[in-house]
């Protein structure tokens, strides 16, 4: 088991990267929390992984309850949080109890928000089971739900006590979901590690073949890059914004398409948009745009959206929280492995990029 620690001002927490659930009970026990645990999962994850997780926790003496959510972004709502609160009350979980999120980013974001707010905060443990949640969402403490058509409109920063990553859980994930998660992985390379991008390009086949060594390396690298950024800027005052590469356009596409595309797919399209914008601003040559597109295609991600409603996406960008005084704040690439933050005043340029 590989252990990585995220060191934050108020608390640190371990991230365990493993190939099975054998040490789950023991690891949770070491947190010295109360005996009651509510495991929140969704229907798909439940089918494959909750039995083993719950068994391991019970073996270590925990009293475990389970709540199964309907899967998918459309259920990332306050209603889902409400149902969790009802279970927490019904099973009499108190401030020393724990809420475990077993699933992808949707389960993690919903459960984390419930954990942050129930009794002003109970212990929260993430067991991410998707490429996206292992690479990105389980680390860093952003939690929340969508509201009234707006992505992540309601939420809180709330750090987990533990992230327990069994990399083999993603073997049961549909291939499209694996690719979607890889968009955030590519993002990590693009913002600060050009060599990592090369590694991804060279090992694409092994990733899709679920090669344990390659998956472990990815998990380690992702946690280290995301951890480093979050440690320096937990509440996104400045530096953490670099993790939004591809997300200004990506979120807009996601909402404009009524969440019919996966988050990672929209991020992939957004990443290409950010590189095109940098190219139009003469920051980098077209060959770099093509290189990034080739990497995304290799990882089976979309790089454009034929027939996309450019006006709708453009409008949606202005709803995004990064908009200030009608100016668009973007994270843009300087080269592969380095980004900068820039306020785009010529918004027509953005429209052109979307139409490219
Ligand atoms: P998800 O949780 O919806 O999971 C994707 C699909 O895979 C779902 O249908 C799920 O049921 C299924 N699934 C999950 N694990 C499985 C497994 N091991 N085997 C089989 N099926 C499995 O989506 P996601 O891609 O993990 O996360 C996307 C969400 O994460 C978005 O809502 C996004 O906003 C959020 N996010 C949050 C952060 C953050 O910092 N909090 C960062 C990035 C993304
Ligand atoms: Zn994302």
């Amino acid at each position: 088991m590989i252990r990585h620690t995220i060191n934050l001002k108020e608390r640190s927490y371990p991230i365990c990267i493993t190939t099975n659930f054998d040490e789950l009970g023991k690891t949770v026990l070491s947190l010295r929390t109360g005996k009651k645990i509510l495991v929140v999962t969704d229907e798909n994850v439940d089918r494959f992984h909750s039995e083993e997780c719950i068994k391991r926790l019970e073996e270590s003496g925990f009293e475990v309850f389970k709540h199964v959510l309907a899967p998918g972004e459309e259920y990332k709502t306050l209603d889902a949080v409400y149902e969790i609160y009802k279970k927490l009350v019904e099973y009499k979980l108190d401030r020393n109890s724990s809420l475990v999120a077993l699933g992808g980013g949707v389960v993690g974001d919903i459960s984390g928000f419930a954990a942050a707010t129930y009794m002003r905060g109970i212990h929260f443990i993430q067991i991410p089971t998707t490429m996206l949640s292992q690479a990105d969402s389980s680390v860093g403490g952003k939690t929340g739900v969508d509201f009234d058509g707006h992505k992540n409109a309601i939420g809180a920063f709330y750090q987990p006590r533990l992230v327990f990553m069994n990399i083999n859980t993603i073997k049961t994930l549909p291939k499209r979901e694996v690719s979607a998660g890889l968009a955030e992985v590519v993002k990590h390379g693009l913002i600060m590690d050009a060599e990592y991008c090369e590694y991804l390009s060279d090992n694409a086949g092994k990733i899709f073949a679920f090669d344990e060594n390659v998956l472990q390396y990815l998990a380690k690298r992702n946690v280290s890059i995301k951890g480093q950024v979050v440690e320096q800027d937990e509440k996104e005052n400045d530096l953490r914004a670099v993790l939004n590469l591809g997300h200004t356009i990506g979120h807009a596409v996601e909402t404009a398409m009524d969440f019919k595309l996966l988050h990672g797919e929209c991020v992939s399209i957004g990443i290409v948009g950010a590189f095109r914008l940098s190219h139009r601003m003469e920051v980098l040559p077209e060959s770099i745009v093509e290189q990034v597109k080739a990497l995304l295609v290799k990882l089976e991600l979309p790089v454009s959206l034929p027939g996309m409603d450019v006006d709708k996406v453009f409008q949606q960008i202005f709803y995004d929280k990064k908009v200030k005084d009608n100016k668009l704040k973007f994270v843009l690439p300087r080269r592969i492995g380095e980004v900068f933050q820039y306020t785009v005043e010529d918004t027509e340029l953005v429209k052109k990029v979307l139409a490219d």
Side-chain angles (χ1 to χ4, degrees):
M1 188 160 85
I2 302 165
R3 257 178 105 93
H4 182 98
T5 306
I6 303 286
N7 292 304
L8 298 171
K9 272 192 213 98
E10 285 169 21
R11 83 154 62 130
S12 299
Y13 57 95
I15 298 184
C16 300
I17 301 169
T18 74
T19 53
N20 53 53
F21 284 120
D22 292 357
E23 292 185 63
L24 176 64
K26 200 177 85 187
T27 312
V28 175
L29 211 50
S30 71
L31 301 175
R32 298 178 184 283
T33 55
K35 288 288 176 223
K36 282 192 178 181
I37 293 180
L38 177 67
V39 172
V40 177
T41 187
D42 73 21
E43 285 161 14
N44 297 328
V45 184
D46 187 41
R47 213 172 305 140
F48 299 112
H49 305 294
S50 52
E51 195 180 327
E52 161 109 42
C53 272
I54 291 173
K55 190 175 99 193
R56 295 292 175 201
L57 292 168
E58 286 177 342
E59 276 170 5
S60 292
F62 290 102
E63 187 185 357
V64 187
F65 304 93
K66 182 176 82 172
H67 177 59
V68 183
L69 301 167
E73 184 74 32
E74 57 187 305
Y75 297 106
K76 194 171 139 178
T77 61
L78 277 178
D79 287 348
V81 178
Y82 180 88
E83 292 303 322
I84 296 174
Y85 292 151
K86 284 194 20 182
K87 293 288 160 137
L88 291 166
V89 172
E90 182 185 335
Y91 302 133
K92 300 190 172 58
L93 271 79
D94 62 23
R95 290 214 57 193
N96 210 19
S97 309
S98 304
L99 201 161
V100 168
L102 172 67
V106 169
V107 170
D109 281 10
I110 296 172
S111 311
F113 184 66
T117 45
Y118 179 69
M119 293 191 171
R120 298 196 186 85
I122 60 171
H123 304 295
F124 179 47
I125 295 163
Q126 291 259 27
I127 307 182
T129 62
T130 61
M131 178 61 87
L132 182 138
S133 56
Q134 294 189 356
D136 188 355
S137 64
S138 63
V139 177
K142 278 192 183 179
T143 74
V145 294
D146 304 332
F147 187 73
D148 204 17
H150 298 292
K151 184 88 185 139
N152 301 328
I154 295 174
F157 283 100
Y158 195 64
Q159 300 293 343
R161 292 287 314 276
L162 163 72
V163 182
F164 193 94
M165 246 178 235
N166 169 0
I167 52 147
N168 280 321
T169 53
I170 64 167
K171 284 185 178 165
T172 56
L173 199 61
K175 196 170 183 202
R176 184 175 167 201
E177 295 283 355
V178 175
S179 284
L182 289 170
E184 307 279 10
V185 177
V186 171
K187 179 191 79 179
H188 286 153
L190 295 174
I191 60 179
M192 59 168 73
D193 188 348
E195 268 178 40
Y196 191 27
C197 288
E198 272 175 47
Y199 179 88
L200 293 170
S201 178
D202 294 345
N203 290 281
K206 287 186 179 168
I207 297 173
F208 288 118
F210 301 117
D211 179 303
E212 272 189 11
N213 290 330
V214 172
L215 292 184
Q216 252 170 324
Y217 178 75
L218 257 59
K220 235 170 43 184
R221 206 64 213 104
N222 291 326
V223 164
S224 147
I225 292 174
K226 177 133 190 206
Q228 206 178 312
V229 175
V230 171
E231 280 171 352
Q232 289 175 59
D233 179 21
E234 184 185 348
K235 302 273 166 76
E236 195 168 324
N237 295 315
D238 182 38
L239 176 74
R240 187 167 175 166
V242 300
L243 295 171
N244 291 328
L245 174 69
H247 280 64
T248 305
I249 292 175
H251 277 159
V253 172
E254 198 172 358
T255 309
M257 296 297 294
D258 289 328
F259 301 102
K260 287 195 183 73
L261 291 179
L262 300 177
H263 174 74
E265 293 171 341
C266 300
V267 170
S268 177
I269 292 166
I271 286 173
V272 176
F275 272 81
R276 283 215 179 101
L277 194 51
S278 273
H279 169 56
R280 282 209 176 242
M281 288 163 51
E282 296 177 1
V283 175
L284 47 79
E286 187 157 17
S287 59
I288 299 279
V289 184
E290 292 307 318
Q291 200 181 324
V292 170
K293 275 170 66 179
L295 172 59
L296 293 167
V297 168
K298 210 167 183 181
L299 298 173
E300 302 192 19
L301 281 158
V303 290
S304 67
L305 201 56
M308 181 173 80
D309 185 339
V310 170
D311 285 326
K312 198 169 171 194
V313 173
F314 187 69
Q315 293 287 317
Q316 190 59 43
I317 289 178
F318 284 87
Y319 281 113
D320 200 272
K321 58 184 180 296
K322 278 145 243 124
V323 176
K324 279 193 187 123
D325 307 326
N326 241 16
K327 289 174 186 160
L328 291 175
K329 213 169 166 200
F330 267 90
V331 178
L332 293 178
R334 198 180 301 285
R335 59 178 76 90
I336 292 178
E338 191 185 338
V339 290
F340 63 106
Q341 296 188 56
Y342 185 78
T343 304
V344 177
E345 301 199 10
D346 179 6
T347 52
E348 282 306 304
L349 200 60
V350 178
K351 219 173 189 177
K352 279 185 197 145
V353 164
L354 290 175
D356 262 353

mmCIF file with all atom_site columns, all heavy atoms in Angstrom, residues 256-274:
data_model
loop_
_atom_site.group_PDB
_atom_site.id
_atom_site.type_symbol
_atom_site.label_atom_id
_atom_site.label_alt_id
_atom_site.label_comp_id
_atom_site.label_asym_id
_atom_site.label_entity_id
_atom_site.label_seq_id
_atom_site.pdbx_PDB_ins_code
_atom_site.Cartn_x
_atom_site.Cartn_y
_atom_site.Cartn_z
_atom_site.occupancy
_atom_site.B_iso_or_equiv
_atom_site.pdbx_formal_charge
_atom_site.auth_seq_id
_atom_site.auth_comp_id
_atom_site.auth_asym_id
_atom_site.auth_atom_id
_atom_site.pdbx_PDB_model_num
ATOM 1   N N   . ALA A 1 256 ? -24.753 23.491 -21.309 1.00 0.00 ? 256 ALA A N   1
ATOM 2   C CA  . ALA A 1 256 ? -25.474 23.756 -22.562 1.00 0.00 ? 256 ALA A CA  1
ATOM 3   C C   . ALA A 1 256 ? -25.984 22.460 -23.194 1.00 0.00 ? 256 ALA A C   1
ATOM 4   O O   . ALA A 1 256 ? -27.010 22.456 -23.877 1.00 0.00 ? 256 ALA A O   1
ATOM 5   C CB  . ALA A 1 256 ? -24.570 24.502 -23.541 1.00 0.00 ? 256 ALA A CB  1
ATOM 6   N N   . MET A 1 257 ? -25.266 21.379 -22.954 1.00 0.00 ? 257 MET A N   1
ATOM 7   C CA  . MET A 1 257 ? -25.687 20.075 -23.509 1.00 0.00 ? 257 MET A CA  1
ATOM 8   C C   . MET A 1 257 ? -26.598 19.323 -22.535 1.00 0.00 ? 257 MET A C   1
ATOM 9   O O   . MET A 1 257 ? -26.784 18.108 -22.676 1.00 0.00 ? 257 MET A O   1
ATOM 10  C CB  . MET A 1 257 ? -24.461 19.203 -23.804 1.00 0.00 ? 257 MET A CB  1
ATOM 11  C CG  . MET A 1 257 ? -23.530 19.745 -24.868 1.00 0.00 ? 257 MET A CG  1
ATOM 12  S SD  . MET A 1 257 ? -24.330 19.865 -26.487 1.00 0.00 ? 257 MET A SD  1
ATOM 13  C CE  . MET A 1 257 ? -24.623 18.148 -26.849 1.00 0.00 ? 257 MET A CE  1
ATOM 14  N N   . ASP A 1 258 ? -27.117 20.038 -21.538 1.00 0.00 ? 258 ASP A N   1
ATOM 15  C CA  . ASP A 1 258 ? -28.023 19.424 -20.545 1.00 0.00 ? 258 ASP A CA  1
ATOM 16  C C   . ASP A 1 258 ? -27.435 18.180 -19.907 1.00 0.00 ? 258 ASP A C   1
ATOM 17  O O   . ASP A 1 258 ? -28.143 17.187 -19.684 1.00 0.00 ? 258 ASP A O   1
ATOM 18  C CB  . ASP A 1 258 ? -29.379 19.083 -21.192 1.00 0.00 ? 258 ASP A CB  1
ATOM 19  C CG  . ASP A 1 258 ? -30.169 20.340 -21.495 1.00 0.00 ? 258 ASP A CG  1
ATOM 20  O OD1 . ASP A 1 258 ? -30.015 21.315 -20.734 1.00 0.00 ? 258 ASP A OD1 1
ATOM 21  O OD2 . ASP A 1 258 ? -30.898 20.353 -22.496 1.00 0.00 ? 258 ASP A OD2 1
ATOM 22  N N   . PHE A 1 259 ? -26.124 18.217 -19.654 1.00 0.00 ? 259 PHE A N   1
ATOM 23  C CA  . PHE A 1 259 ? -25.444 17.120 -18.960 1.00 0.00 ? 259 PHE A CA  1
ATOM 24  C C   . PHE A 1 259 ? -25.549 15.786 -19.713 1.00 0.00 ? 259 PHE A C   1
ATOM 25  O O   . PHE A 1 259 ? -25.505 14.726 -19.094 1.00 0.00 ? 259 PHE A O   1
ATOM 26  C CB  . PHE A 1 259 ? -25.952 16.985 -17.511 1.00 0.00 ? 259 PHE A CB  1
ATOM 27  C CG  . PHE A 1 259 ? -25.750 18.241 -16.702 1.00 0.00 ? 259 PHE A CG  1
ATOM 28  C CD1 . PHE A 1 259 ? -26.794 19.113 -16.459 1.00 0.00 ? 259 PHE A CD1 1
ATOM 29  C CD2 . PHE A 1 259 ? -24.482 18.565 -16.220 1.00 0.00 ? 259 PHE A CD2 1
ATOM 30  C CE1 . PHE A 1 259 ? -26.595 20.280 -15.738 1.00 0.00 ? 259 PHE A CE1 1
ATOM 31  C CE2 . PHE A 1 259 ? -24.270 19.726 -15.494 1.00 0.00 ? 259 PHE A CE2 1
ATOM 32  C CZ  . PHE A 1 259 ? -25.326 20.587 -15.253 1.00 0.00 ? 259 PHE A CZ  1
ATOM 33  N N   . LYS A 1 260 ? -25.673 15.865 -21.027 1.00 0.00 ? 260 LYS A N   1
ATOM 34  C CA  . LYS A 1 260 ? -25.742 14.614 -21.797 1.00 0.00 ? 260 LYS A CA  1
ATOM 35  C C   . LYS A 1 260 ? -24.350 14.060 -22.073 1.00 0.00 ? 260 LYS A C   1
ATOM 36  O O   . LYS A 1 260 ? -24.181 12.885 -22.363 1.00 0.00 ? 260 LYS A O   1
ATOM 37  C CB  . LYS A 1 260 ? -26.492 14.827 -23.107 1.00 0.00 ? 260 LYS A CB  1
ATOM 38  C CG  . LYS A 1 260 ? -27.988 14.979 -22.877 1.00 0.00 ? 260 LYS A CG  1
ATOM 39  C CD  . LYS A 1 260 ? -28.798 14.840 -24.141 1.00 0.00 ? 260 LYS A CD  1
ATOM 40  C CE  . LYS A 1 260 ? -30.258 15.064 -23.866 1.00 0.00 ? 260 LYS A CE  1
ATOM 41  N NZ  . LYS A 1 260 ? -30.613 16.488 -23.609 1.00 0.00 ? 260 LYS A NZ  1
ATOM 42  N N   . LEU A 1 261 ? -23.347 14.940 -22.005 1.00 0.00 ? 261 LEU A N   1
ATOM 43  C CA  . LEU A 1 261 ? -21.966 14.470 -22.143 1.00 0.00 ? 261 LEU A CA  1
ATOM 44  C C   . LEU A 1 261 ? -21.390 14.294 -20.746 1.00 0.00 ? 261 LEU A C   1
ATOM 45  O O   . LEU A 1 261 ? -21.837 14.918 -19.793 1.00 0.00 ? 261 LEU A O   1
ATOM 46  C CB  . LEU A 1 261 ? -21.122 15.502 -22.896 1.00 0.00 ? 261 LEU A CB  1
ATOM 47  C CG  . LEU A 1 261 ? -21.418 15.700 -24.376 1.00 0.00 ? 261 LEU A CG  1
ATOM 48  C CD1 . LEU A 1 261 ? -20.502 16.780 -24.930 1.00 0.00 ? 261 LEU A CD1 1
ATOM 49  C CD2 . LEU A 1 261 ? -21.210 14.405 -25.135 1.00 0.00 ? 261 LEU A CD2 1
ATOM 50  N N   . LEU A 1 262 ? -20.368 13.471 -20.628 1.00 0.00 ? 262 LEU A N   1
ATOM 51  C CA  . LEU A 1 262 ? -19.734 13.277 -19.325 1.00 0.00 ? 262 LEU A CA  1
ATOM 52  C C   . LEU A 1 262 ? -18.843 14.478 -19.007 1.00 0.00 ? 262 LEU A C   1
ATOM 53  O O   . LEU A 1 262 ? -18.315 15.127 -19.924 1.00 0.00 ? 262 LEU A O   1
ATOM 54  C CB  . LEU A 1 262 ? -18.904 11.990 -19.331 1.00 0.00 ? 262 LEU A CB  1
ATOM 55  C CG  . LEU A 1 262 ? -19.694 10.708 -19.613 1.00 0.00 ? 262 LEU A CG  1
ATOM 56  C CD1 . LEU A 1 262 ? -18.757 9.505  -19.678 1.00 0.00 ? 262 LEU A CD1 1
ATOM 57  C CD2 . LEU A 1 262 ? -20.766 10.497 -18.548 1.00 0.00 ? 262 LEU A CD2 1
ATOM 58  N N   . HIS A 1 263 ? -18.682 14.738 -17.708 1.00 0.00 ? 263 HIS A N   1
ATOM 59  C CA  . HIS A 1 263 ? -17.872 15.877 -17.284 1.00 0.00 ? 263 HIS A CA  1
ATOM 60  C C   . HIS A 1 263 ? -16.495 15.867 -17.971 1.00 0.00 ? 263 HIS A C   1
ATOM 61  O O   . HIS A 1 263 ? -16.057 16.867 -18.540 1.00 0.00 ? 263 HIS A O   1
ATOM 62  C CB  . HIS A 1 263 ? -17.722 15.847 -15.755 1.00 0.00 ? 263 HIS A CB  1
ATOM 63  C CG  . HIS A 1 263 ? -16.803 16.889 -15.206 1.00 0.00 ? 263 HIS A CG  1
ATOM 64  N ND1 . HIS A 1 263 ? -17.152 18.224 -15.129 1.00 0.00 ? 263 HIS A ND1 1
ATOM 65  C CD2 . HIS A 1 263 ? -15.541 16.805 -14.725 1.00 0.00 ? 263 HIS A CD2 1
ATOM 66  C CE1 . HIS A 1 263 ? -16.140 18.910 -14.619 1.00 0.00 ? 263 HIS A CE1 1
ATOM 67  N NE2 . HIS A 1 263 ? -15.151 18.065 -14.364 1.00 0.00 ? 263 HIS A NE2 1
ATOM 68  N N   . GLY A 1 264 ? -15.837 14.730 -17.927 1.00 0.00 ? 264 GLY A N   1
ATOM 69  C CA  . GLY A 1 264 ? -14.488 14.634 -18.495 1.00 0.00 ? 264 GLY A CA  1
ATOM 70  C C   . GLY A 1 264 ? -14.472 14.888 -19.992 1.00 0.00 ? 264 GLY A C   1
ATOM 71  O O   . GLY A 1 264 ? -13.516 15.471 -20.527 1.00 0.00 ? 264 GLY A O   1
ATOM 72  N N   . GLU A 1 265 ? -15.525 14.474 -20.670 1.00 0.00 ? 265 GLU A N   1
ATOM 73  C CA  . GLU A 1 265 ? -15.601 14.719 -22.117 1.00 0.00 ? 265 GLU A CA  1
ATOM 74  C C   . GLU A 1 265 ? -15.693 16.218 -22.386 1.00 0.00 ? 265 GLU A C   1
ATOM 75  O O   . GLU A 1 265 ? -15.061 16.731 -23.316 1.00 0.00 ? 265 GLU A O   1
ATOM 76  C CB  . GLU A 1 265 ? -16.815 13.978 -22.706 1.00 0.00 ? 265 GLU A CB  1
ATOM 77  C CG  . GLU A 1 265 ? -16.642 12.466 -22.646 1.00 0.00 ? 265 GLU A CG  1
ATOM 78  C CD  . GLU A 1 265 ? -17.910 11.674 -23.007 1.00 0.00 ? 265 GLU A CD  1
ATOM 79  O OE1 . GLU A 1 265 ? -19.018 12.244 -22.965 1.00 0.00 ? 265 GLU A OE1 1
ATOM 80  O OE2 . GLU A 1 265 ? -17.772 10.484 -23.306 1.00 0.00 ? 265 GLU A OE2 1
ATOM 81  N N   . CYS A 1 266 ? -16.459 16.899 -21.562 1.00 0.00 ? 266 CYS A N   1
ATOM 82  C CA  . CYS A 1 266 ? -16.579 18.362 -21.720 1.00 0.00 ? 266 CYS A CA  1
ATOM 83  C C   . CYS A 1 266 ? -15.251 19.046 -21.379 1.00 0.00 ? 266 CYS A C   1
ATOM 84  O O   . CYS A 1 266 ? -14.867 20.023 -22.034 1.00 0.00 ? 266 CYS A O   1
ATOM 85  C CB  . CYS A 1 266 ? -17.690 18.890 -20.813 1.00 0.00 ? 266 CYS A CB  1
ATOM 86  S SG  . CYS A 1 266 ? -19.285 18.164 -21.203 1.00 0.00 ? 266 CYS A SG  1
ATOM 87  N N   . VAL A 1 267 ? -14.566 18.513 -20.378 1.00 0.00 ? 267 VAL A N   1
ATOM 88  C CA  . VAL A 1 267 ? -13.254 19.078 -20.018 1.00 0.00 ? 267 VAL A CA  1
ATOM 89  C C   . VAL A 1 267 ? -12.287 18.902 -21.189 1.00 0.00 ? 267 VAL A C   1
ATOM 90  O O   . VAL A 1 267 ? -11.495 19.806 -21.508 1.00 0.00 ? 267 VAL A O   1
ATOM 91  C CB  . VAL A 1 267 ? -12.705 18.415 -18.728 1.00 0.00 ? 267 VAL A CB  1
ATOM 92  C CG1 . VAL A 1 267 ? -11.256 18.813 -18.478 1.00 0.00 ? 267 VAL A CG1 1
ATOM 93  C CG2 . VAL A 1 267 ? -13.575 18.796 -17.532 1.00 0.00 ? 267 VAL A CG2 1
ATOM 94  N N   . SER A 1 268 ? -12.357 17.754 -21.846 1.00 0.00 ? 268 SER A N   1
ATOM 95  C CA  . SER A 1 268 ? -11.480 17.510 -22.989 1.00 0.00 ? 268 SER A CA  1
ATOM 96  C C   . SER A 1 268 ? -11.724 18.561 -24.077 1.00 0.00 ? 268 SER A C   1
ATOM 97  O O   . SER A 1 268 ? -10.779 19.159 -24.614 1.00 0.00 ? 268 SER A O   1
ATOM 98  C CB  . SER A 1 268 ? -11.746 16.092 -23.526 1.00 0.00 ? 268 SER A CB  1
ATOM 99  O OG  . SER A 1 268 ? -10.969 15.849 -24.670 1.00 0.00 ? 268 SER A OG  1
ATOM 100 N N   . ILE A 1 269 ? -12.989 18.805 -24.375 1.00 0.00 ? 269 ILE A N   1
ATOM 101 C CA  . ILE A 1 269 ? -13.337 19.829 -25.373 1.00 0.00 ? 269 ILE A CA  1
ATOM 102 C C   . ILE A 1 269 ? -12.859 21.207 -24.884 1.00 0.00 ? 269 ILE A C   1
ATOM 103 O O   . ILE A 1 269 ? -12.322 22.010 -25.648 1.00 0.00 ? 269 ILE A O   1
ATOM 104 C CB  . ILE A 1 269 ? -14.863 19.817 -25.627 1.00 0.00 ? 269 ILE A CB  1
ATOM 105 C CG1 . ILE A 1 269 ? -15.238 18.514 -26.330 1.00 0.00 ? 269 ILE A CG1 1
ATOM 106 C CG2 . ILE A 1 269 ? -15.310 21.035 -26.424 1.00 0.00 ? 269 ILE A CG2 1
ATOM 107 C CD1 . ILE A 1 269 ? -16.724 18.201 -26.345 1.00 0.00 ? 269 ILE A CD1 1
ATOM 108 N N   . GLY A 1 270 ? -13.010 21.446 -23.584 1.00 0.00 ? 270 GLY A N   1
ATOM 109 C CA  . GLY A 1 270 ? -12.575 22.720 -22.999 1.00 0.00 ? 270 GLY A CA  1
ATOM 110 C C   . GLY A 1 270 ? -11.058 22.894 -23.041 1.00 0.00 ? 270 GLY A C   1
ATOM 111 O O   . GLY A 1 270 ? -10.559 24.006 -23.247 1.00 0.00 ? 270 GLY A O   1
ATOM 112 N N   . ILE A 1 271 ? -10.341 21.799 -22.857 1.00 0.00 ? 271 ILE A N   1
ATOM 113 C CA  . ILE A 1 271 ? -8.876  21.871 -22.921 1.00 0.00 ? 271 ILE A CA  1
ATOM 114 C C   . ILE A 1 271 ? -8.443  22.282 -24.328 1.00 0.00 ? 271 ILE A C   1
ATOM 115 O O   . ILE A 1 271 ? -7.588  23.167 -24.507 1.00 0.00 ? 271 ILE A O   1
ATOM 116 C CB  . ILE A 1 271 ? -8.240  20.503 -22.525 1.00 0.00 ? 271 ILE A CB  1
ATOM 117 C CG1 . ILE A 1 271 ? -8.347  20.274 -21.014 1.00 0.00 ? 271 ILE A CG1 1
ATOM 118 C CG2 . ILE A 1 271 ? -6.781  20.431 -22.989 1.00 0.00 ? 271 ILE A CG2 1
ATOM 119 C CD1 . ILE A 1 271 ? -7.908  18.888 -20.548 1.00 0.00 ? 271 ILE A CD1 1
ATOM 120 N N   . VAL A 1 272 ? -9.055  21.662 -25.316 1.00 0.00 ? 272 VAL A N   1
ATOM 121 C CA  . VAL A 1 272 ? -8.718  22.019 -26.703 1.00 0.00 ? 272 VAL A CA  1
ATOM 122 C C   . VAL A 1 272 ? -9.043  23.506 -26.929 1.00 0.00 ? 272 VAL A C   1
ATOM 123 O O   . VAL A 1 272 ? -8.244  24.241 -27.523 1.00 0.00 ? 272 VAL A O   1
ATOM 124 C CB  . VAL A 1 272 ? -9.488  21.126 -27.715 1.00 0.00 ? 272 VAL A CB  1
ATOM 125 C CG1 . VAL A 1 272 ? -9.212  21.578 -29.148 1.00 0.00 ? 272 VAL A CG1 1
ATOM 126 C CG2 . VAL A 1 272 ? -9.095  19.661 -27.538 1.00 0.00 ? 272 VAL A CG2 1
ATOM 127 N N   . GLY A 1 273 ? -10.186 23.953 -26.391 1.00 0.00 ? 273 GLY A N   1
ATOM 128 C CA  . GLY A 1 273 ? -10.565 25.371 -26.509 1.00 0.00 ? 273 GLY A CA  1
ATOM 129 C C   . GLY A 1 273 ? -9.512  26.284 -25.891 1.00 0.00 ? 273 GLY A C   1
ATOM 130 O O   . GLY A 1 273 ? -9.132  27.303 -26.483 1.00 0.00 ? 273 GLY A O   1
ATOM 131 N N   . ALA A 1 274 ? -9.016  25.924 -24.728 1.00 0.00 ? 274 ALA A N   1
ATOM 132 C CA  . ALA A 1 274 ? -8.006  26.750 -24.047 1.00 0.00 ? 274 ALA A CA  1
ATOM 133 C C   . ALA A 1 274 ? -6.712  26.805 -24.867 1.00 0.00 ? 274 ALA A C   1
ATOM 134 O O   . ALA A 1 274 ? -6.080  27.864 -25.001 1.00 0.00 ? 274 ALA A O   1
ATOM 135 C CB  . ALA A 1 274 ? -7.736  26.191 -22.653 1.00 0.00 ? 274 ALA A CB  1
#
